[in-house]
Amino acid sequence: MTQTNKRGRPRKFDEDETLDRIMQVFWKHGYAATSLDQIAAETGLNRPSLYGAFGSKKSMFLQALDRFSDQMHVHLREAGMSAKGANGRMKAIMSAAIDLYTGRTRLSGAPYGCLAISTLPSEAAQDPEMQAALEKMVHRMDKGFASLIRYENGTNLTEPDIQAKAQQLSLVLHGISIRARSGTDANSLKQLAYSAVDSLLPVT
Amino acid sequence: MTQTNKRGRPRKFDEDETLDRIMQVFWKHGYAATSLDQIAAETGLNRPSLYGAFGSKKSMFLQALDRFSDQMHVHLREAGMSAKGANGRMKAIMSAAIDLYTGRTRLSGAPYGCLAISTLPSEAAQDPEMQAALEKMVHRMDKGFASLIRYENGTNLTEPDIQAKAQQLSLVLHGISIRARSGTDANSLKQLAYSAVDSLLPVT
DNA sequence: GTCATTTTATACCAAATCGCATAAAAACAT
DNA sequence: ATGTTTTTATGCGATTTGGTATAAAATGAC
């Protein structure tokens, strides 16, 4: 056991809660348009404290993104558990994602779409780290969908087919996050998503 | 006929060519991360000239976006003409869009995805004009796909079905533009797109 | 209590930002 | 030529940017 004795002046803020607030600011305004002053105002901290806890602006953003990714995948995984069969589980996941994108969860307070899809593309072309982060997010979703299909599949689909279907579903969800950001309501999005799931993973 | 006599000092630059260059800068860096100095350097003009010709930064961006939208739709329409049947035409359109997204056309010099999908989402939540522009881009694509399906359809699909299919295809293409921006190569994207088209518009 | 350590708060800095004021330059009208 | 009009070029200027230096404050160690 490492000693966890706190030396020096104690922090006035909770790191996770602060990172949640940071996430919200980036989620709304994107990366470039967010200033450290905005973040300071929203978190109640001042810039030196922010820098001490999370490093540079980019480092802060990437940490918020990781946190978003983890929380989103927990959220979707839980939703997937609540139904049966590939078709049903995928619809539940789509529904949960759309709730997230349209501001109907505790994680998302407003219809800001997907943090990654809404903010990373504008940075990806000028910053390899941002591009890598985008690629990682996309691949993580691909892998998650593939493993669900693989698990629920009655050996009907070959592995390449599984991968292809998973990518198709990711495509659809990314497109849906764009539409959520453009103002489309949750019900319309769910109709779209369900019909996409039905055509890709028909009920057996 | 209004007299088109040019009064005053003649311009040293071509407006369309300059707008093309402006478009490239926004395409690569997004809206917020692009500075007027960058644009000035890239176009060879100085800021007052830019302002005189195109107005504010946002006005410049929206004009570049309109130009992109028009040129893209010409590009896709031409591609659609080159094939027969709903399935074939849609595949040709997808292929042309992917060429555009991956920097394989004269319009796009690099694999920067779609100007609209790569840059607008990050601005949409804080600026209603940007959100409206994003919505307009999405709807324009929906309408284009719907009219193609409607035209090629042998009265098999009802109008709501046509709209739904069109939106599905838009979803797919938006997702593909995200992947293009994340670095996926053109061939992989085309495989994805073709298989999506086959499942949504099967050959009769 | 005194020292070491860590966080906070204020203030600063150099660079970059958008927009515009001002004046020179280049054309046409008369 | 002289004046009018439009574009160019230089440069200002107030604001904002990300990051940090400095010092005060708050804790534990001894």
Side-chain angles (χ1 to χ4, degrees), chain B residues 97-173:
Chain B
I98 290 168
D99 285 340
L100 179 60
Y101 292 169
T102 54
R104 308 165 132 228
T105 68
R106 211 182 308 156
L107 197 123
S108 61
Y112 293 157
C114 169
L115 173 62
I117 304 301
S118 294
T119 65
L120 279 173
S122 64
E123 316 298 326
Q126 63 192 311
D127 184 336
E129 261 185 287
M130 295 291 200
Q131 183 173 20
L134 176 57
E135 195 187 2
K136 185 177 164 189
M137 295 292 297
V138 170
H139 276 48
R140 187 171 181 184
M141 182 170 283
D142 287 352
K143 276 179 59 181
F145 287 166
S147 76
L148 184 150
I149 299 172
R150 193 178 300 115
Y151 177 79
E152 291 286 348
N153 180 40
T155 69
N156 304 320
L157 294 171
T158 67
E159 183 61 25
D161 283 345
I162 291 173
Q163 308 258 357
K165 296 252 184 219
Q167 289 182 10
Q168 302 274 359
L169 290 163
S170 287
L171 278 190
V172 169
L173 198 46

Side-chain angles (χ1 to χ4, degrees), chain A residues 8-27:
Chain A
R9 181 173 177 171
R11 279 189 174 161
K12 280 180 61 183
F13 63 96
D14 177 69
E15 195 157 326
D16 284 343
E17 186 187 337
T18 300
L19 198 48
D20 274 340
R21 291 177 187 270
I22 294 175
M23 192 177 78
Q24 298 296 333
V25 184
F26 281 126
W27 204 345

Side-chain angles (χ1 to χ4, degrees), chain A:
Chain A
M1 283 288 293
T2 58
Q3 277 284 96
T4 57
N5 283 346
K6 303 161 189 174
R7 300 277 300 258
R9 181 173 177 171
R11 279 189 174 161
K12 280 180 61 183
F13 63 96
D14 177 69
E15 195 157 326
D16 284 343
E17 186 187 337
T18 300
L19 198 48
D20 274 340
R21 291 177 187 270
I22 294 175
M23 192 177 78
Q24 298 296 333
V25 184
F26 281 126
W27 204 345
K28 174 167 186 181
H29 298 99
Y31 176 74
T34 297
S35 74
L36 295 185
D37 279 337
Q38 279 177 291
I39 293 178
E42 206 67 34
T43 59
L45 308 195
N46 36 39
R47 287 205 302 288
S49 294
L50 283 169
Y51 196 86
F54 306 103
S56 71
K57 179 184 175 185
K58 188 155 93 173
S59 163
M60 276 173 39
F61 173 74
L62 292 175
Q63 287 173 64
L65 193 69
D66 274 344
R67 185 170 173 80
F68 169 84
S69 177
D70 291 342
Q71 293 190 0
M72 171 169 174
H73 278 264
V74 166
H75 182 64
L76 297 192
R77 179 174 296 274
E78 273 178 18
M81 301 292 206
S82 72
K84 292 288 174 196
N87 180 282
R89 288 197 165 169
M90 191 55 75
K91 279 182 184 168
I93 289 173
M94 290 281 178
S95 176
I98 289 168
D99 285 340
L100 180 60
Y101 293 169
T102 53
R104 308 165 132 229
T105 69
R106 211 182 310 156
L107 196 123
S108 61
Y112 294 157
C114 169
L115 173 63
I117 303 302
S118 293
T119 65
L120 279 171
S122 65
E123 315 298 327
Q126 63 192 311
D127 185 334
E129 260 184 288
M130 295 292 201
Q131 184 175 20
L134 176 58
E135 195 188 1
K136 185 178 165 190
M137 296 292 298
V138 170
H139 276 46
R140 188 171 181 184
M141 182 170 282
D142 287 352
K143 277 179 59 182
F145 287 167
S147 77
L148 184 150
I149 299 172
R150 193 178 300 115
Y151 177 79
E152 292 287 349
N153 181 39
T155 70
N156 303 319
L157 294 171
T158 67
E159 183 59 27
D161 281 346
I162 291 172
Q163 308 258 356
K165 295 252 186 220
Q167 289 183 11
Q168 302 274 359
L169 289 163
S170 287
L171 278 190
V172 169
L173 198 46
H174 295 153
I176 280 178
S177 90
I178 299 287
R179 278 175 128 89
R181 189 84 167 175
S182 88
T184 307
D185 66 284
N187 283 342
S188 307
L189 294 176
K190 288 189 183 182
Q191 278 201 319
L192 262 178
Y194 293 164
S195 119
V197 171
D198 281 334
S199 71
L200 286 168
L201 299 176
V203 284
T204 50

